[in-house]
Amino acid sequence: SGKQECRQAKLLTKQVRLYGIVQGVGFRPFVSRTAMELGIAGSVCNRGSYVEVIARGGAEELEHFLEILQYDPPERSVILKVDVKNLPDAGGMTSFEIIESEKEKGEIFISPDIAICSDCRRELYDPKNRRYLHPFINCTQCGPRLTILDELPYDRARTSMKDFPMCPSCKVEYEDPDSRRYDAQPVCCNDCGPTVYLAGRKERGADAIRKARELLSEGRILAVKGIGGFHLCCDATSQEAVMRLRERKKRPAKPFAVMMRDEAMAERTC
């Protein structure tokens, strides 16, 4: 009993506030996993302009924890400032959890949309994976961020994904600290996420994408709605299609953006 009281007395509680790009980059699940690995209890919360961490543990563990948060954060995050404050020991904390976000005033930095990561790319083209060819695949390391946001703090309920309830399988991933999609706000799959369709036609999903490719090859112009607006598309090798697009856009001379599959195709074409 005496030894237990001695160990208990050595536990410290700290409040850590991290400012910068800490929303939409998997920062909260990263903090949670790191804390659990180090045996630290407490919580992490998104306050809007910063992420607040309450951490309780031994002095050595807390020092290591703070070093990781500040100097080895998630790849897409940017730490601009860290404030650390000692708190009275919170003896009731025995686990670590991600708690509901709270909005506070202040300068806010949000991550832009992030291109598909190598892990999601692998899943995307794996016929055995449940997200095979799912056009909205994402995880904590990639996917939409700024363009799906309605308001801050960045939580699913305040993004356009609020209209797509997670299926049981996605929910398990979202709540599992060992998952790559732990607390990933846009998480979805072919069963519960948005779908691709052609307005005014019956095609859905992959069929809609195939039909769109067919229409482009016929010289048609498509308005492709993405998460950040519309792209007007045509076959760049078709002079007739390009001139029709110029006429409709009233853009007789200014260059259009040209999309190519990869660098090799760009080198061949240019």
Side-chain angles (χ1 to χ4, degrees):
S1 175
K3 289 182 179 179
Q4 286 178 345
E5 289 176 4
C6 181
R7 284 198 298 269
Q8 193 77 1
K10 292 180 181 178
L11 293 179
L12 306 172
T13 301
K14 293 183 180 289
Q15 176 195 74
V16 186
R17 290 180 173 177
L18 301 110
Y19 298 81
I21 300 179
V22 289
Q23 300 201 48
V25 289
F27 201 85
R28 285 175 294 173
F30 165 78
V31 171
S32 177
R33 276 193 297 266
T34 304
M36 287 188 281
E37 288 170 4
L38 295 175
I40 290 172
S43 63
V44 58
C45 177
N46 191 339
R47 296 284 186 178
S49 60
Y50 60 90
V51 163
E52 182 177 82
V53 181
I54 305 298
R56 180 176 187 257
E60 189 175 327
E61 288 78 12
L62 285 174
E63 183 179 356
H64 189 197
F65 181 58
L66 292 174
E67 285 180 358
I68 293 174
L69 296 190
Q70 188 165 4
Y71 301 113
D72 194 20
E75 180 184 354
R76 306 288 182 176
S77 63
V78 177
I79 306 300
L80 298 178
K81 185 175 75 167
V82 179
D83 286 340
V84 181
K85 177 182 176 183
N86 292 322
L87 297 179
D89 184 41
M93 292 191 296
T94 57
S95 62
F96 199 93
E97 60 180 328
I98 299 174
I99 61 178
E100 187 176 350
S101 298
E102 297 179 17
K103 188 173 183 180
E104 291 192 5
K105 292 181 179 179
E107 194 170 22
I108 296 173
F109 301 89
I110 186 73
S111 167
D113 299 346
I114 305 169
I116 188 170
C117 69
S118 56
D119 289 328
C120 282
R121 185 183 296 274
R122 244 188 326 270
E123 292 177 346
L124 183 68
Y125 295 116
D126 179 4
K128 297 179 181 177
N129 191 280
R130 70 187 191 89
R131 289 189 175 86
Y132 177 54
L133 298 183
H134 179 51
F136 304 98
I137 193 168
N138 68 86
C139 69
T140 53
Q141 293 302 308
C142 70
R145 298 294 189 267
L146 180 62
T147 51
I148 63 169
L149 192 64
D150 293 330
E151 60 178 320
L152 290 164
Y154 176 69
D155 277 319
R156 191 182 183 97
R158 285 179 280 273
T159 72
S160 55
M161 290 302 295
K162 66 181 177 293
D163 297 326
F164 301 93
M166 283 180 274
C167 67
S169 297
C170 283
K171 193 169 180 61
V172 167
E173 291 176 302
Y174 181 82
E175 296 175 347
D176 181 4
D178 294 325
S179 166
R180 204 175 80 252
R181 295 183 171 90
Y182 178 43
D183 203 50
Q185 304 309 321
V187 65
C188 60
C189 69
N190 286 307
D191 295 328
C192 65
T195 58
V196 176
Y197 64 94
L198 276 169
R201 297 184 63 92
K202 62 181 181 180
E203 290 89 351
R204 293 288 185 273
D207 288 338
I209 294 175
R210 280 190 285 267
K211 185 63 181 178
R213 184 170 59 187
E214 179 185 319
L215 293 170
L216 288 172
S217 68
E218 293 173 356
R220 307 286 282 276
I221 295 171
L222 297 183
V224 182
K225 189 181 188 306
I227 52 178
F230 283 88
H231 291 289
L232 295 178
C233 300
C234 73
D235 179 2
T237 65
S238 168
Q239 180 71 5
E240 183 182 353
V242 171
M243 293 309 295
R244 189 183 306 120
L245 179 57
R246 287 198 176 283
E247 182 182 346
R248 291 180 179 178
K249 279 288 292 178
K250 296 180 172 55
R251 191 167 171 172
K254 187 177 178 182
F256 286 131
V258 180
M259 296 189 295
M260 297 188 185
R261 181 185 181 90
D262 51 30
E263 288 185 22
M265 179 176 285
E267 287 175 0
R268 287 196 304 270
T269 307
C270 302

